Amino acid sequence: MSLSGTVEPLDDEARPAPLTGVDSVWFRFVEEALSRGRDDREERQVVAEQRRERPFRLTDGGAEVVVDPRDARTEIPVAERRRVTDDGGGREFGLFRLVDPTVARERTEWRIEPGSRLTVVGEARLSGDRVRLSAAAGHPLTLTVAERGDHLERSRRRSGTAMRRAVVFGCGAVVALLVAVLT
């Protein structure tokens, strides 16, 4: 089932997202420490992560469903990303100084705000007197800001690309086997 509609909090339970303070029915926040590693490559380490995955309502005209976003696959664009440069300092221990390799911290927030448009793709179940969309074993739930047709077309293209890659890989394996047998 694919349903597009307007997001509304369930029982007025929108909460401020941690980075921006914007009221949200769903959010994910990640803070990463960035440091310089080997070959001067940027290395990332997650130092904090926070989620809000409480159910919310999706309405479209007179229709209303409850969406439980736990374990859902999300295709939500980044709402806010902030990079804070570290002073390159360290900790003092008497005569010794421990240098922190962190050069910056990056804080990223994804969120779904009340009143925004959302498409949910998943299996609907009757729960009490409400229709509920949630992830279950073998039945993934996808939350996306793409409209229904756009999301289904993108999924179809990804599926076709994966099939072409599998065919090419299989043909390559057969050719490699023939070469190995003939030589």
Side-chain angles (χ1 to χ4, degrees):
M1 170 182 188
S2 176
L3 180 66
S4 294
T6 304
V7 173
E8 295 179 9
L10 187 65
D11 303 325
D12 297 323
E13 286 203 22
R15 295 284 185 257
L19 183 59
T20 59
V22 174
D23 278 348
S24 307
V25 295
W26 176 93
F27 64 74
R28 178 175 177 229
F29 168 79
V30 174
E31 181 175 342
E32 296 173 298
L34 309 175
S35 59
R36 292 282 170 219
R38 294 189 176 133
D39 301 329
D40 206 32
R41 289 189 197 165
E42 184 177 84
E43 293 182 355
R44 296 173 169 265
Q45 179 182 8
V46 174
V47 294
E49 187 169 0
Q50 190 177 0
R51 292 176 179 262
R52 175 176 170 75
E53 296 182 322
R54 302 281 310 261
F56 57 87
R57 292 184 299 159
L58 189 67
T59 60
D60 185 24
E64 176 183 305
V65 297
V66 174
V67 178
D68 186 348
R70 284 180 292 221
D71 300 323
R73 186 177 72 204
T74 57
E75 297 175 2
I76 307 294
V78 169
E80 185 84 19
R81 178 171 283 140
R82 296 181 188 168
R83 189 177 193 133
V84 178
T85 306
D86 261 350
D87 60 1
R91 291 193 174 156
E92 298 287 337
F93 296 102
L95 297 174
F96 301 102
R97 179 175 174 85
L98 180 62
V99 178
D100 185 359
T102 302
V103 295
R105 292 191 180 266
E106 190 170 87
R107 295 174 179 108
T108 307
E109 181 177 276
W110 298 262
R111 65 178 180 264
I112 299 173
E113 301 170 29
S116 60
R117 293 280 300 167
L118 186 69
T119 298
V120 180
V121 180
E123 184 174 303
R125 294 175 200 77
L126 194 57
S127 175
D129 60 344
R130 292 183 166 170
V131 175
R132 186 178 198 88
L133 294 170
S134 60
H139 300 285
L141 178 72
T142 302
L143 308 176
T144 180
V145 292
E147 286 296 322
R148 202 177 341 206
D150 297 340
H151 174 72
L152 295 174
E153 177 61 25
R154 196 167 52 246
S155 294
R156 186 189 64 73
R157 277 194 312 257
R158 275 194 299 239
S159 186
T161 301
M163 183 61 78
R164 284 189 295 279
R165 286 182 182 159
V167 168
V168 169
F169 179 77
C171 290
V174 168
V175 169
L177 180 63
L178 287 174
V179 168
V181 168
L182 295 176
T183 54

